[in-house]
Amino acid sequence: MGKYIRKRILISIVILLLILLILFLLLQLMPGSPFNDAKLSPEQVEALKKSYGLDQPVIVQFFRYIGNMLKGDFGVSYSISPNTPITTLIATRFPVTIKIGFVSLIAGTLAGLVLGLLAAFFRNAVIRFLYSVLTLTGIAIPSYLFAIFFSWFIGYKAELLPLLYDFRSPAASSVMPVAAMSLSVMAVIARFTRSEAEDVMKSDYVMLARCSGMSSWTIMVKYILRNSLIPVITVMAGLLVGLLTGSLVIEKMFSIPGMGELLTNAISNNDYSVVIALSFVYSALYIVVMLLLDLIYCVVDPRVRLGGKTE
Amino acid sequence: MRMRKTKRIFCLLTLCAFVSFGLGGCGAAKSADDPTTINVGVNGAPQTIDPQVVSDTGSGEVVAYFTSTLYQYDPNRELVPAMAESSEFSEDGLTVTYHLKEGLKWSDGVSVTADDFVFGFQRLADPATKSGSIYLITDCCKIKNADEITVGEVPVSELGVSAPDNMTFVVELEQPCPYINSLFTLRPMSPCRRDFFNSCGGNYATSPETVLSCGPYILERYEPLASQIHFRKNPDYFDADIIEPENVSLQVVSDSQQAMMCYKANELDIVRTSGELAELAVGDTHLNSINTAQVYKLEINHQTNPALKNTDIRMALAKSIDRDSIAANVMRLGYYSMTRVIPPNFCFDSDGKDFAGDTSQYDEYMKFDAEKAKELWTKGLSETGLSGAKLEFICSSSQTKIVEALKAQMEKALPGLELEILPLPDKEWLNRVNSGRDYDLVLSSWVADYADPTALFQSCIAAPGTIKYSGEKFQELYKNSYNASGAERDSMLHEAEEILMKDVALIPLFGGQSNYLISEGVSGYQMNPTGVEPIVTGLRKEMR
């Protein structure tokens, strides 16, 4: 196990370095520079480039960047927020995105689990109808349409919730974005849970448990829920990274100062250092989440053993 | 029995999960309920709040609340002294002396001195500040040694600014600058206190704690690329008596639909609006349109394209464009057609008359007239011996709609004209425009920095080796206007504009407007003549 984790971490570091190098080269190939103002003379643009060290060869810039990064310094933004340390930009935005992403994931997953299990358990027409409507709309309708819908009816017409994210009332102002983002999570989780739960319910061991007089509640929690969780966890990891990188449209619509907006802003402004730092953070995040996922598998299903050894 | 219990638990859980979406809300805050706070919606997050680094309008809008400058525009858009009491120009116009007002204070209670201006200007010039606004002191006005300092050839201490005493600030110029007071209303020219800057240790202007206010408001909440920024009234501001609202809150709303809903739901008092959404508000008495000094124009290759060297052909192009129809149908609300270089209500002659009060003055050369355009086109072609013209028309990829409309009109009016549209990514497009090379026609826009015709003529000055217009008479008038004053200068500038239009040096197309929806009870929101900074001293809010 320990060996397996060490190997995974080592591979991750190599992958991250490769990602950095590729990003560096790609951004160098892009036309234009971060300093595009018709009013600046070519000499002034050169002076600006020099002051940020952008006049040096790519390879020098690359190793200097890696060196600084190891010291926890991601450099400063060139154009979207001139001279602001990127760590500051990330530090102020990451918590907001994480908070909204996590809450969306948890709300969506809980609702999805309950909906999926309900649909698997009861073959009642009302529940089946509710399940079909909620999962189909959740999957087919993009989250920004839900956001527009909520904004119009709940925020504007009914005036129940604020239309924009407000740091003075973060809970109330997060409800609409969280609801919009968690509906698709709910739909995906519900579909997986239902199909897995139905399979498990037909299995011999559940049948045996029933015959032995175990309560429905115990059967559901001990056998059905637990065994249905494995595919759900796999899906959740992907959803989590998606939510943490921030939903650009939702962030834009509700003016949430999050990561998605920062990244697109940086890309469209050629702010190399911010793009690289954010891509690095995302890649690292994805790798860590995947590693954690493998470890959670072991807990949920003791049959899974990592590192190629089987018991 | 057990099954029923399970069912109950399920139902309860389901209820919890769905209701949890709706909980937490306790109603939206209404701006109309609070007469002490003005809530303003802005389009984008400010890039910086370091006054010397500010180069975009979003940042200028924020910095305007907590800084002050030597001169300012009052709520009637008149240029008046702000922190300066008065200014004196030397006879040769190369030295300008500013006498500061008595009793000026920073928000920490320390007095503002002339040295704070010296340090502010030096920071702007210093390459270490990495300011994108350095052109203001190298091109818009030429402060002594600024050119050499900005590229790191001469130390910052050599900049032509000094403080002979605490109340006197002196600027030395390499060339007279008749409009310098208008230029010195801009935020990069605001003061900066040396000891405070040094005490911030590299974090200057990154949080409310690392800036000092000398303007009407004090910054209370801000973080880099913030979506919410708060200010409270500065009791130490020199004109604090005229500032009414106790608080101002800026809210970034990049989605225009959401901004409109916020305005209608009374969450925001002032929102900027444009395009189709703004059209929904046409007829609304609360819609305010303010002209800006943003000018869209076609720039022409004057040097290497044989067809475009001919004035008749250029004029035919200019007269083949029905600007009104494009402004109304393609660009929608926020733009108006222009047939001269200078927009109306932007700058004034020395006798106070609007420089461009007569918007149809150059219609003879520029106004849409399909027949006349065709006549000129045929004449031009026969003069040059060409049978038609194939021109490369470059634009930014975000402007293809406008360019396609232009192409359709021009090709329809001028038989034998073939325009090949080449949309480019913004950066690449800007590179080509800046270098003044490699295009036949290019759609570009320019925003004036200060209220003087030269601010818009500046972009017509051709650098050597470029394909831009290089009329000698125009260049001479432009240059001489810096050494002239009063009516003599006015007539030079009018003549310069006439030459540009008569020679069709460029084809002016549209002027920009900023449209604001301003709630009932809120008044006094105004923009400076260039439309890049708000005038915040006149803001008022009454209880509805």
Side-chain angles (χ1 to χ4, degrees), chain B residues 469 473-474 477 495-504:
Chain B
Y469 175 73
K473 181 72 183 160
F474 165 74
L477 284 165
E495 195 184 341
E497 190 185 13
E498 185 168 6
I499 292 173
L500 288 179
M501 293 295 86
K502 208 171 170 179
D503 277 359
V504 200

Side-chain angles (χ1 to χ4, degrees), chain B residues 73 79 139-141 175-186 293 295 341-343 345-350 354-356 446-459 477-486 489-494 496-497 528-531:
Chain B
Y73 283 95
L79 184 63
D139 293 54
C140 297
C141 74
Q175 168 188 294
C177 181
Y179 50 78
I180 197 160
N181 290 341
S182 168
L183 191 65
F184 283 2
T185 63
L186 295 173
V295 176
V341 184
I342 309 296
N345 202 20
F346 160 66
C347 54
F348 299 86
D349 286 337
S350 49
D354 187 353
F355 186 92
W446 185 271
V447 185
D449 287 291
Y450 51 91
D452 189 77
T454 50
L456 286 156
F457 292 163
Q458 213 180 48
S459 66
L477 284 165
Y478 174 83
K479 215 171 133 195
N480 291 343
S481 75
Y482 280 85
N483 294 305
S485 61
R489 180 167 191 267
D490 297 338
S491 83
M492 280 177 175
L493 294 171
H494 279 287
E497 190 185 13
N528 71 352
T530 56

Side-chain angles (χ1 to χ4, degrees), chain B residues 142-382:
Chain B
K142 292 186 186 298
I143 296 185
K144 198 173 148 194
N145 295 329
D147 259 324
E148 293 78 6
I149 293 167
T150 56
V151 293
E153 285 169 9
V154 169
V156 174
S157 53
E158 296 296 306
L159 187 71
V161 287
S162 57
D165 61 64
N166 276 347
M167 303 300 286
T168 315
F169 174 60
V170 180
V171 180
E172 290 170 82
L173 301 167
E174 287 173 3
Q175 168 188 294
C177 181
Y179 50 78
I180 197 160
N181 290 341
S182 168
L183 191 65
F184 283 2
T185 63
L186 295 173
R187 301 300 145 176
M189 274 83 168
S190 50
C192 177
R193 208 171 81 208
R194 210 180 287 266
D195 63 325
F196 180 79
F197 175 81
N198 292 334
S199 73
C200 294
N203 291 321
Y204 179 69
T206 51
S207 64
E209 294 74 39
T210 52
V211 285
L212 280 179
S213 164
C214 59
Y217 295 90
I218 293 173
L219 184 68
E220 254 194 341
R221 183 181 195 276
Y222 167 82
E223 65 202 27
L225 293 176
S227 64
Q228 284 182 314
I229 299 151
H230 295 263
F231 302 98
R232 76 183 144 82
K233 189 175 159 176
N234 178 7
D236 289 326
Y237 177 53
F238 66 86
D239 223 357
D241 294 346
I242 67 157
I243 306 299
E244 272 187 18
E246 287 298 320
N247 306 290
V248 174
S249 170
L250 301 188
Q251 167 73 56
V252 176
V253 204
S254 34
D255 187 89
S256 53
Q257 190 172 294
Q258 207 78 358
M260 194 77 149
M261 280 198 267
C262 289
Y263 167 76
K264 296 220 164 186
N266 290 320
E267 283 186 35
L268 295 174
D269 297 308
I270 301 173
V271 293
R272 193 175 179 156
T273 175
S274 62
E276 288 167 29
L277 271 173
E279 283 175 5
L280 294 175
V282 170
D284 186 333
T285 48
H286 301 120
L287 181 69
N288 292 259
S289 294
I290 304 173
N291 276 9
T292 68
Q294 183 188 26
V295 176
Y296 275 87
K297 56 191 178 167
L298 282 185
E299 291 196 36
I300 300 169
N301 169 359
H302 284 267
Q303 310 299 335
T304 53
N305 188 298
L308 292 175
K309 280 185 189 172
N310 184 286
T311 313
D312 287 328
I313 289 183
R314 295 199 300 269
M315 203 176 290
L317 293 174
K319 291 185 78 70
S320 67
I321 302 166
D322 183 357
R323 297 166 177 78
D324 288 333
S325 128
I326 297 181
N329 302 315
V330 182
M331 304 187 75
R332 318 294 281 258
L333 192 73
Y335 298 93
Y336 59 95
S337 64
M338 270 183 75
T339 49
R340 60 184 297 171
V341 184
I342 309 296
N345 202 20
F346 160 66
C347 54
F348 299 86
D349 286 337
S350 49
D351 59 1
K353 222 174 88 191
D354 187 353
F355 186 92
D358 179 4
T359 51
S360 56
Q361 194 173 346
Y362 302 113
D363 279 4
E364 183 189 349
Y365 317 117
M366 293 290 150
K367 185 142 177 91
F368 172 61
D369 181 343
E371 258 175 56
K372 184 74 185 161
K374 197 171 170 186
E375 195 186 310
L376 286 163
W377 175 250
T378 321
K379 189 171 159 227
L381 287 180
S382 70

Side-chain angles (χ1 to χ4, degrees), chain A residues 52-54 56 59-69:
Chain A
Y52 284 109
L54 293 176
Q56 289 168 345
I59 204 75
V60 176
Q61 289 183 44
F62 179 68
F63 281 107
R64 197 188 49 208
Y65 188 82
I66 302 268
N68 288 338
M69 215 183 64

